[in-house]
């Protein structure tokens, strides 16, 4: 495949249809990231999103495949300004997912959006309460979060990251009684500049999740991972060893993990400003081989996120790519077709509509057998949207 070598490859421009766009919700301002989880236990992916300028955090229940092209049923689970990320997590160990949001700007807190009603009352806003964790309140400009039981006790903890002065990667340790918000304790794992990706993954194959992350600002930018020392050591607040993957000195954005070249080893892909993708191919000895993809920058905004998937069903891993600052005729979301022993092809996807896109979720939203892509757009106020895969042929 064309990713086997080292060096830089410039993509070829290629034709293709603009995918149909469907709005989950476009009724507020500044949709900033979308995460998934099954809240009501129906086996379908529900969504949560923070609307940064709109001041709300919303949950969306999957309406069934036949209704996904219409706005989804929704409920505002909390009213907080400056939400930068929101996730679904079970913090009180009752088997039910609830909301967590992290905020930057002037708010600078992590909030727990708790559900207090019965099973059929999820969409009733009166059944949701919002409280800040005191250990995080006003402390940092929080950017990303995920839930995990790091210390093997008291259920789910939170892994958090931030940006700006005093930024860190760390974890919020759950107490014996999770409802005692004042008892949650924050432990710093690394000082930071501006964390973009914050992803749990077992990087060393020892059975526990490490932390893959990208830091775009400060004196230690690049792609790294922190090695989980194990639950017993985590309980003692042990140090997590840092490992560099690459892109030191570059402004890295969101990253993904996938086997790009089909060798059975998981690689790391990262969007890099201004308009690049760096692929770090994992070698059998644990080293990383860097491959650069130079996109057609005259057609695109600035790099934001990358996601790997086989878009057209030809057995080769392709890439989705989103941008910010995609003004005028520039495109904010495209896909790159991988070809065997040939340059990557850059295909249109969303067209010139939209300015600032974000992370992506890849799912078959209409149950037609191919992967669609969901994302957010927060400048043209497209909101939470998904693009319908038009059954692309591998002969494009």
């Amino acid at each position: 495949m064309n990713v086997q070598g080292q060096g830089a490859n410039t993509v070829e421009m290629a034709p293709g249809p603009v995918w149909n766009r469907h709005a989950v919700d476009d009724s507020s301002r500044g949709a900033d990231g979308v995460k998934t989880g099954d809240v009501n236990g129906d086996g379908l992916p529900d969504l949560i999103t923070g609307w940064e300028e709109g001041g709300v955090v919303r949950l969306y229940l999957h309406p069934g495949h036949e209704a996904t092209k219409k706005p989804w049923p929704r409920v505002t689970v909390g009213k907080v300004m400056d939400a930068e990320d929101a996730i679904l997590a079970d913090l009180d160990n009752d088997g039910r997912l609830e909301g967590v949001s992290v905020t930057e700007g002037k708010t600078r807190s992590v909030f727990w959006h708790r559900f207090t009603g019965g099973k059929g009352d999820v969409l009733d806003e009166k059944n949701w309460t919002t409280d800040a964790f005191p250990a995080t309140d006003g402390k940092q400009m929080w950017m990303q979060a995920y839930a995990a039981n790091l210390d093997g006790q008291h259920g789910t903890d939170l892994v958090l990251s931030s940006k700006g002065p005093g930024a860190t990667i760390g974890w919020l340790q759950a107490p014996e009684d999770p409802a005692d918000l004042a008892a949650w304790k924050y432990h710093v794992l690394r000082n930071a500049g501006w964390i973009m990706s914050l992803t749990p993954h077992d990087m060393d194959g020892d059975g526990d999740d490490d932390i893959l992350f990208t830091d775009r600002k400060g004196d230690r930018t690049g792609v790294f991972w922190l090695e989980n020392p194990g639950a017993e050591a985590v309980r003692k607040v042990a140090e997590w060893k840092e490992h560099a993957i690459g892109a030191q000195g570059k402004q890295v954005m969101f990253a993904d993990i996938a086997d790009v070249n089909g060798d059975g080893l998981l690689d790391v892909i990262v969007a890099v400003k201004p308009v690049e993708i760096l692929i770090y191919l994992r070698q059998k000895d644990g080293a990383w081989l860097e491959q650069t993809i130079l996109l057609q920058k005259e057609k695109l905004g600035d790099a934001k996120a990358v996601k790997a998937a086989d878009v057209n069903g030809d057995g080769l891993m392709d890439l989705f790519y989103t941008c910010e600052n995609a003004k005028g005729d520039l495109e904010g979301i495209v896909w790159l077709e991988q070809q065997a022993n040939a340059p990557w092809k850059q295909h249109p996807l969303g067209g010139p509509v939209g300015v600032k896109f974000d992370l992506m979720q890849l799912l078959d939203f209409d149950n037609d057998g191919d992967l669609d892509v969901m994302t957010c757009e927060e400048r043209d106020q497209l909101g939470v949207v998904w693009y319908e895969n038009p059954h692309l042929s591998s002969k494009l």
Side-chain angles (χ1 to χ4, degrees):
M1 299 179 190
N2 64 306
V3 295
Q4 290 286 359
Q6 192 171 16
N9 293 313
T10 301
V11 302
E12 294 180 349
M13 295 301 297
V18 172
W19 298 18
N20 289 331
R21 184 181 75 248
H22 306 286
V24 170
D25 183 10
D26 59 3
S27 65
S28 190
R29 295 179 296 112
D32 202 354
V34 58
K35 300 290 176 65
T36 64
D38 185 2
V39 173
N40 55 4
D42 63 358
L44 299 173
D46 306 308
L47 315 171
I48 190 168
T49 298
W51 294 80
E52 188 170 3
E53 287 80 34
V56 294
V57 178
R58 284 182 177 161
L59 168 69
Y60 305 92
L61 295 184
H62 195 295
H65 295 297
E66 68 284 350
T68 53
K69 297 179 183 181
K70 300 177 181 179
W72 291 24
R74 67 176 186 249
V75 60
T76 296
V77 301
K79 296 180 179 179
V80 297
M81 294 300 298
D82 307 313
E84 184 64 28
D85 189 25
I87 64 171
L88 292 166
D90 179 12
L91 299 187
D92 54 8
N93 309 310
D94 66 353
R96 182 170 57 191
L97 295 179
E98 299 175 311
V100 175
S101 64
V102 303
T103 61
E104 54 159 337
K106 296 181 179 180
T107 308
R108 302 188 183 197
S109 291
V110 178
F111 294 94
W112 186 358
H113 309 288
R114 301 187 69 183
F115 179 63
T116 60
K119 185 176 181 180
D121 302 324
V122 173
L123 294 179
D124 187 343
E125 187 175 329
K126 297 191 297 294
N127 291 320
W128 292 87
T129 63
T130 295
D131 295 288
F133 291 97
T136 70
D137 196 15
K139 301 294 196 301
Q140 300 178 41
M141 289 194 283
W142 303 103
M143 296 296 290
Q144 296 290 320
Y146 71 81
N149 187 345
L150 295 185
D151 58 5
Q153 60 183 2
H154 308 325
T156 304
D157 310 299
L158 290 172
V159 181
L160 304 171
S161 65
S162 58
K163 73 173 185 180
T168 62
I169 296 173
W171 65 291
L172 192 61
Q173 185 177 24
E176 184 175 359
D177 177 11
D180 183 2
L181 297 186
W184 289 70
K185 296 180 180 179
Y186 185 67
H187 306 286
V188 174
L189 297 179
R190 181 198 194 261
N191 294 327
W194 183 338
I195 299 299
M196 296 296 290
S197 279
L198 186 74
T199 305
H201 185 75
D202 186 1
M203 300 294 293
D204 51 7
D206 65 354
D208 53 31
D209 278 338
D210 309 297
I211 302 173
L212 175 72
F213 68 95
T214 56
D215 195 342
R216 66 180 286 195
K217 294 287 187 179
D219 57 3
R220 285 195 295 163
T221 65
V223 185
F224 305 88
W225 63 280
L226 293 174
E227 183 178 346
N228 190 332
E232 182 177 352
V234 168
R235 287 195 292 272
K236 299 176 182 178
V237 197
E239 180 180 357
W240 293 43
K241 183 179 180 181
E242 180 176 298
H243 303 270
I245 292 176
Q248 277 69 62
K250 294 182 179 292
Q251 189 173 174
V252 292
M253 304 298 282
F254 287 114
D256 193 22
I257 305 172
D259 181 5
V260 179
N261 58 358
D263 65 355
L265 301 174
L266 290 178
D267 311 305
V268 175
I269 315 104
V270 61
V272 179
K273 286 186 178 293
V275 193
E276 295 180 359
I277 295 173
L278 293 179
I279 302 175
Y280 289 95
L281 299 169
R282 190 71 178 260
Q283 307 299 293
K284 291 182 179 179
D285 63 359
W288 302 91
L289 179 64
E290 181 182 286
Q291 175 75 45
T292 303
I293 301 176
L294 301 174
L295 289 86
Q296 297 288 344
K297 61 182 180 180
E298 68 276 7
K299 299 289 186 179
L300 298 170
D302 302 329
K304 188 61 178 287
V306 64
K307 195 79 171 174
D310 182 1
V311 179
N312 53 10
D314 65 354
L316 300 179
M317 193 67 72
D318 308 303
L319 300 175
F320 290 95
Y321 187 78
T322 61
C323 307
E324 54 191 13
N325 296 320
K327 301 175 181 179
D329 292 333
L330 299 180
E331 295 181 71
I333 179 169
V334 297
W335 72 279
L336 305 177
E337 180 186 3
Q338 184 178 174
Q339 302 182 94
N341 303 311
W344 292 79
K345 288 184 177 181
Q346 180 176 315
H347 293 273
L349 195 156
V353 180
V355 175
K356 186 178 181 181
F357 292 85
D358 208 83
L359 286 166
M360 294 162 279
Q361 300 291 337
L362 307 181
L363 293 165
D364 185 1
F365 289 102
D366 50 5
N367 199 32
D368 65 354
D370 55 27
L371 288 175
D372 310 298
V373 55
M374 177 171 285
T375 187
C376 291
E377 196 284 323
E378 57 177 311
R379 287 294 176 266
D380 274 354
Q381 307 307 334
L382 301 183
V384 184
V385 296
W386 67 276
Y387 291 89
E388 183 180 354
N389 190 329
H391 297 292
L392 294 166
S393 166
S394 61
K395 296 180 180 180
L396 277 177

